[in-house]
Amino acid sequence: AWCYCQIWDNITTRIPARLVAVLVGIVHGFAGPGGVLGVIPAVQIRNAALGGLYLGCFCVTSTITMGAFALAYGRASQKVGDLSPIWALRTELMSASLSVIVGIIWLLALATGSFDALLG
């Protein structure tokens, strides 16, 4: 039987997983609030050179920070998953559940106007 999984298997066999991860990260970077946090202060600087320097530093430090977190989380997940197939499944389920929970909290905080209080 043909399913969505076969499409993903075909994609992942043709394109290296690292390249897919980088491309997904770039798309998420554009979609997230980081773009706004990077652009608004740069516009307020009112000096093209300093604004460009700010944006460049923002992009580099954001990329390094996100990459370091992803590397650490990926390594930890891999080590736990290498223990046994059941631990691999548990790690995947925990990661997915945590993502959904954070998303729900984020949306509720935005809907109730308590987002600023949530961040401190």
Side-chain angles (χ1 to χ4, degrees):
W2 187 86
C3 71
Y4 176 77
C5 299
Q6 289 175 337
I7 294 173
W8 182 250
D9 288 341
N10 288 338
I11 291 171
T12 55
T13 54
R14 288 188 219 144
I15 302 172
R18 290 181 182 179
L19 178 60
V20 172
V22 168
L23 294 175
V24 168
I26 290 170
V27 170
H28 281 124
F30 285 128
V36 173
L37 296 174
V39 172
I40 290 176
V43 170
Q44 295 298 320
I45 291 174
R46 302 206 191 280
N47 180 318
L50 291 176
L53 179 64
Y54 173 82
L55 281 176
C57 290
F58 180 84
C59 290
V60 169
T61 55
S62 295
T63 301
I64 290 170
T65 303
M66 287 186 277
F69 177 79
L71 178 67
Y73 191 80
R75 295 280 183 179
S77 297
Q78 184 178 19
K79 288 204 179 285
V80 172
D82 287 345
L83 296 175
S84 72
I86 191 69
W87 277 104
L89 177 63
R90 288 175 181 165
T91 303
E92 290 175 17
L93 291 174
M94 188 271 308
S95 295
S97 299
L98 185 62
S99 295
V100 170
I101 290 167
V102 168
I104 289 170
I105 291 171
W106 192 284
L107 291 173
L108 288 174
L110 286 172
T112 60
S114 60
F115 188 73
D116 290 334
L118 180 68
L119 295 179

